[in-house]
Amino acid sequence: MTDNPKPLPQLAGVHAYVPGEAPKNTGGKTYKLASNENPLGASPRAKKVYADLAAKMELYPDGAARELKAALAKKHGLDASRLVLGAGSDDIFLMLGRAYLSPGDESINTKHAFAIYAIIAQQQGAKVVEVGEDNFTADVDAILRAVTPKTKIVWLANPNNPTGTYLPYDEVKRLHAGLPPGVLLVLDGAYAEFVKKNDYASGIELASQFGNVIITRTFSKLYGLAGLRVGWGYAPPHVVDAIERVRMPFNVSLPAQAAAIAALEDDAFTEESLAHNEHEMVRLADGLKALGLELIDGVGNFVVAKFPETKGKTAAEALAFMKDRGISLRGLGGYGMPNHLRISVGTVDGNDAALKLLKEFLGK
Ligand SMILES: *Cc1c(COP(=O)(O)O)cnc(C)c1O
């Protein structure tokens, strides 16, 4: 009764993350367009390395992930000693929360930011300060106005998920310049590889130059290794040191490290994936616009469409209609966007099927 073990009081406010749903089994072809996964799968080289390691499951991984760090440093021209690895970038966010947030601290994220930031801040007992956006886009002035002496972390996914919008690098630099040196700016570049804009940069330069910036990247999206859980961060030495103090020694598994190295080296697969995304994202967006849907102007590997509020045509009804027919999309009610759906760029077949069904749903 009343003498059950009591979890930390702040956990009462935590709403568990709701992941994208797998498609319903309809007996026919199904498509998951709900989690921004790579529709082409993963690098064949990564798959081979992973399969070969089935014979080595008794071994612990290299806790320091030296080979993977060396491969990342080579690929991106980085200092390997400033790299940190996580079981997905989520793990890095969690480690940052554990290292920098305690009850009474404030953690800033924008209104439609990736949900994990607020979850982690709440777990730590920190106050989540949610800042308004400008047309679904982070607003630098609004973020800077929200900073107080209690602010410890500012989280910014650039581009953001679920909106797909991004801040030009000049704006990111202006944000950083306005922050006190004691506030850590976390630049989450989960979709960085997909952005082909001259005014965009993921922020590696800021993380190299300043003491209060970390950038994170992931193998979950472009590299198609979401199921293996590998993410990385690039940070100043003292941030790396703090993360290393909270990191569990073997947080990235042995096959995950090896597959990530193989994936990094497989330029043919990443180029094919990028070319596919570039082409299919435009085709999917154009197809949705032709159905009369309004899209948020975004980048990444997904599109966000606004549905009418008319009964029979709403986002919630579209989500259910598609689900029943074997295509899962992402509802955004939990993000305060109940009239929008996020649709990941799928295979050619998947995108065709989604467009055809949505046409039927909208009665076009
Ligand atoms: C998918 C995604 C990630 C990646 O998470 P992992 O833990 O690396 O799989 C991080 N940030 C955003 C904004 C994302 O959409």
Side-chain angles (χ1 to χ4, degrees):
M1 288 196 344
T2 53
D3 48 2
N4 283 334
K6 296 265 186 296
L8 300 176
Q10 65 259 31
L11 297 186
V14 174
H15 298 285
Y17 182 76
V18 183
E21 286 187 36
K24 191 155 138 181
N25 186 355
T26 54
K29 269 208 146 177
T30 62
Y31 301 96
K32 184 179 178 200
L33 304 180
S35 298
N36 301 343
E37 292 148 343
N38 188 329
L40 305 187
S43 149
R45 286 162 69 168
K47 286 189 204 174
K48 164 118 188 22
V49 165
Y50 180 81
D52 290 348
L53 284 168
K56 297 270 176 64
M57 280 192 220
E58 73 282 12
L59 300 179
Y60 274 105
D62 171 14
R66 276 169 280 245
E67 279 183 48
L68 177 51
K69 283 183 189 166
L72 283 165
K74 182 162 163 243
K75 177 93 184 172
H76 297 282
L78 304 173
D79 171 354
S81 73
R82 287 170 163 241
L83 285 164
V84 291
L85 288 201
S89 25
D90 288 350
D91 187 30
I92 297 176
F93 305 145
L94 178 63
M95 293 190 282
L96 288 171
R98 289 188 63 204
Y100 290 98
L101 295 175
S102 48
D105 291 339
E106 293 177 6
S107 161
I108 296 180
N109 59 257
T110 66
K111 183 164 167 53
H112 303 109
F114 188 47
I116 300 290
Y117 314 145
I119 291 174
I120 288 169
Q122 282 180 317
Q123 289 172 344
Q124 295 301 120
K127 181 177 165 198
V128 175
V129 178
E130 188 183 280
V131 170
E133 295 174 354
D134 180 7
N135 197 19
F136 296 107
T137 309
D139 176 341
V140 168
D141 295 302
I143 296 172
L144 292 176
R145 276 197 301 273
V147 174
T148 76
K150 293 181 176 166
T151 308
K152 287 287 173 61
I153 295 185
V154 171
W155 309 88
L156 181 72
N158 199 30
N160 184 53
N161 169 27
T163 56
T165 56
Y166 78 101
L167 280 188
Y169 197 37
D170 280 348
E171 280 290 279
V172 177
K173 284 193 276 197
R174 190 165 75 81
L175 169 61
H176 172 259
L179 292 176
V183 174
L184 181 64
L185 175 61
V186 181
L187 296 173
D188 171 358
Y191 302 94
E193 297 92 345
F194 295 105
V195 189
K196 303 277 181 262
K197 302 273 187 189
N198 291 332
D199 61 356
Y200 174 81
S202 72
I204 286 176
E205 180 195 286
L206 282 178
S208 306
Q209 237 180 309
F210 296 100
N212 63 336
V213 181
I214 177 169
I215 64 128
T216 62
R217 301 281 282 269
T218 184
F219 282 90
S220 298
K221 306 287 156 58
L222 173 64
Y223 292 99
L225 301 183
L228 283 189
R229 317 300 304 126
V230 196
W232 56 277
Y234 196 64
H238 52 93
V239 175
V240 171
D241 179 70
I243 290 174
E244 287 302 322
R245 286 168 199 275
V246 293
R247 188 176 68 82
M248 287 294 116
F250 305 110
N251 61 329
V252 183
S253 76
L254 192 157
Q257 292 185 29
I261 294 169
L264 266 187
E265 290 167 352
D266 193 345
D267 290 334
F269 179 76
T270 46
E271 278 162 28
E272 186 192 353
S273 298
L274 286 172
H276 172 86
N277 187 70
E278 210 166 326
H279 181 261
E280 284 300 297
M281 186 161 161
V282 172
R283 199 172 71 83
L284 182 60
D286 287 351
L288 294 168
K289 283 185 217 159
L291 296 177
L293 297 173
E294 191 186 311
L295 302 191
I296 295 180
D297 188 19
V299 292
N301 64 352
F302 57 89
V303 297
V304 185
K306 186 173 186 200
F307 283 72
E309 289 174 53
T310 334
K311 198 167 176 337
K313 305 266 191 264
T314 66
E317 288 163 298
L319 187 68
F321 178 92
M322 299 296 280
K323 184 178 171 177
D324 284 344
R325 289 157 184 78
I327 299 187
S328 62
L329 308 178
R330 183 62 156 261
L332 299 178
Y335 279 97
M337 297 167 64
N339 300 320
H340 289 81
L341 293 181
R342 195 191 70 193
I343 308 172
S344 305
V345 174
T347 57
V348 171
D349 284 356
N351 299 333
D352 280 342
L355 288 170
K356 185 162 172 267
L357 281 176
L358 284 171
K359 184 171 181 199
E360 187 187 325
F361 171 77
L362 291 165
K364 299 272 170 166

